[in-house]
Amino acid sequence: MADAPVVVRSTAQRQPQPGEPACVICGRYGEYVCDATDEDVCSLEHRDICISRQGQRQSMQNSQLQDEETVKRAEQLRSKLGIELSSGSAAETGDNPHNWPIPFVDFAQEQNGVQLPGELLTNLVGNGFERPTPVQMQTIPCVLQGHHVLVSAPTGTGKTASYLIPAIAQILLGREAELEQNVLALVLAPIRELAIQIESVAKVLMRGIANMKTALLVGGFPVPSQRYRLQNGVQLIVATPGRFLDIFTNYSGGDTILEAIRTCVVDEVDMMLDVGFRPQISQIVALLVTLAKKVQLLFFSATVSDEVQGLVQQILKSQTEQAYIRVNVGGNGRTAAGMTQFSLNPLVQQQVRWVEDKAKKNELFTFLKGKVEESTLVFVRSKIGSSMLAEAIEKRCGIGAAAIHADKSQQERLTLLEAFINMEIPVLVSTNVLSRGMDLLHVQNVVVYDFPNKLTDYVHLIGRTGRGDKIPGNALTLVNLEDGAHFRELIPLLRSVMVSVPREVYQSIHSDNENQRSQSRAIVVDESKRAFRVRKQLTDEAGPQISDWKEWNNRANKRRRVGA
């Protein structure tokens, strides 16, 4: 008897009788066994479905295994490079490493279907960007995938390029996809010199790319020419907060430009969210959110405190997407609650010396005499002090020196910077105008003559040297008892990078502790005397009358010692 033909369609199969196998697909009589899956099926139709499902499951398993391996490799790379990632708030990214962008190891790398445009890659190669630095490896994919970010990394490690590269890429990618032809990016910087430098880097990255222009909005230059630049169409605006608000709150055509901004970078965020800049930053973000609706916010600095993170979260509350990815590269400071997270540049060879105020000049002169052919930045607190010190250096050391501070015009400051870069002036004595972000690659030495008011500022000051790829630098810091308020934070920071701490620093802290204990003892004595006077007024103590406080106090102590 010939075998019955195999049922082709499931609808042609009957329902199973009690005890008969059932099809894994439809539940009808499982008359056959699929050789590929060893499962009961009712027909050729459902056999094919079983085989297809098995292929899909295998593909998913392979993909999952591949994802696990990719995530594992990414975590190993982050660990090796000192990259730490976390979620800034409850979000889709969460704290699941599977949802975090994988670090770029090459600028041409594609990730999640996104790749840097060819024109930008050409400019990167042509300008010596051979490979991304650690902060660029992690930040660029985060930005390209649309995340808000808060990034901290040591000075001189390429933070500027880590936001300019993806910001420019997003403008170009928007054009390629014909989604938006007029997309803008905004970069906010706290000081003019830094804004000027950022724009110069952007011009290098955008060179030769059609319809890519920048606008620099800073004080010290005429407002009409800056407005004219905006009216002629730009794609990237670099500005200080004050000038940005001056122009856009009094510019009738400003709304059209603001509506097109899709990316807003806040550089040196710790300084920008300080009391002086905070209202301006909040006002700018409010303007952008109102007009542009959806803006990607990127925050960068070498130092980030818990307070700054809290302020970032407050700013993001105005956004539809409030989550951000926290990227920390090379963090080596204290991260306890309320403490700033510092990222010190390991290329900076630091020395800290205890020098009294009257001996500081001679210490500086001795240091400079051995470095006549090297460029040196000297940081002081006051504008008058900078001018006087520059004159003294020229007279005593015979080295060209000049002072740069906020009282000098913008043109004077730019001229001095150019002379310093060209080594026409080897020594530049500066107030805080050069303390932030300035990428003066050739600076070999930094002297912190006057310790700054904040430890975060100190990190930025010494970060003016040791910039670029494996270019070492020297930093000399002069301290004395007047700087004692910072010693408790300074010691662990120095020890984290194996810098020797002067014994006077430890002694001053010990002395301070002794003073505190003496003050505490004095308070106890005062309280004891007050108690004696009150007691004497109320009643005489039982037994012989005691009129002397010392005798009363000794007797009280004796009672406590024997437990009476």
Side-chain angles (χ1 to χ4, degrees), residues 361 378-393 402-408 429-433 449-450:
K361 281 187 180 180
V378 182
F379 286 103
V380 297
R381 286 197 190 100
S382 71
K383 291 174 280 191
I384 296 176
S386 65
S387 299
M388 294 175 64
L389 189 58
E391 291 177 8
I393 291 170
I404 184 169
H405 49 71
D407 280 354
K408 292 186 180 291
V429 184
S430 173
T431 54
N432 63 356
V433 295
Y449 190 84
D450 294 325

Side-chain angles (χ1 to χ4, degrees), residues 484 488 508-524:
R488 293 183 187 277
S508 68
I509 291 178
H510 178 72
S511 176
D512 186 44
N513 290 339
E514 283 297 319
N515 290 335
Q516 289 180 4
R517 283 193 286 269
S518 297
Q519 291 173 4
S520 298
R521 285 194 293 268
I523 292 172
V524 171

Side-chain angles (χ1 to χ4, degrees), residues 218-260:
V218 297
F221 296 101
V223 170
S225 62
Q226 294 177 357
R227 282 184 177 170
Y228 179 78
R229 182 75 174 175
L230 292 171
Q231 290 168 354
N232 281 274
V234 297
Q235 285 67 46
L236 178 71
I237 300 172
V238 184
T240 51
R243 178 53 62 93
F244 182 88
L245 288 172
D246 285 344
I247 289 180
F248 282 97
T249 54
N250 299 289
Y251 176 34
S252 58
D255 286 1
T256 304
I257 296 173
L258 293 175
E259 288 171 359

Side-chain angles (χ1 to χ4, degrees), residues 96-244:
N96 184 358
H98 286 268
N99 297 326
W100 288 336
I102 304 299
F104 273 167
V105 293
D106 187 276
F107 285 117
Q109 183 176 333
E110 181 180 332
Q111 189 175 132
N112 287 355
V114 180
Q115 187 179 26
L116 295 179
E119 297 163 298
L120 180 55
L121 286 172
T122 300
N123 280 348
L124 289 173
V125 173
N127 288 283
F129 288 83
E130 297 177 0
R131 62 186 182 279
T133 65
V135 66
Q136 293 164 2
M137 286 181 184
Q138 188 60 72
T139 303
I140 291 174
C142 285
V143 177
L144 287 178
Q145 293 182 34
H147 298 288
H148 302 304
V149 295
L150 171 59
V151 181
S152 59
T155 54
T157 55
K159 290 191 294 295
T160 301
S162 70
Y163 59 73
L164 284 179
I165 290 172
I168 294 169
Q170 286 174 321
I171 295 170
L172 297 174
L173 291 171
R175 287 182 185 174
E176 289 178 6
E178 296 184 351
L179 297 174
E180 294 178 286
Q181 290 299 312
N182 187 30
V183 176
L184 273 72
L186 167 65
V187 180
L188 297 170
I191 56 176
R192 287 177 284 185
E193 285 74 16
L194 178 55
I196 292 169
Q197 179 180 284
I198 292 169
E199 192 210 20
S200 68
V201 175
K203 285 181 175 179
V204 168
L205 295 175
M206 296 161 64
R207 186 175 297 150
I209 303 177
N211 299 319
M212 289 292 284
K213 298 178 182 177
T214 64
L216 179 66
L217 311 182
V218 297
F221 296 101
V223 170
S225 62
Q226 294 177 357
R227 282 184 177 170
Y228 179 78
R229 182 75 174 175
L230 292 171
Q231 290 168 354
N232 281 274
V234 297
Q235 285 67 46
L236 178 71
I237 300 172
V238 184
T240 51
R243 178 53 62 93
F244 182 88

Side-chain angles (χ1 to χ4, degrees), residues 445-464:
N445 308 295
V446 163
V447 178
V448 182
Y449 190 84
D450 294 325
F451 202 88
N453 294 326
K454 295 180 180 179
L455 199 62
T456 53
D457 293 336
Y458 167 74
V459 173
H460 287 277
L461 292 182
I462 64 173
R464 296 314 96 207

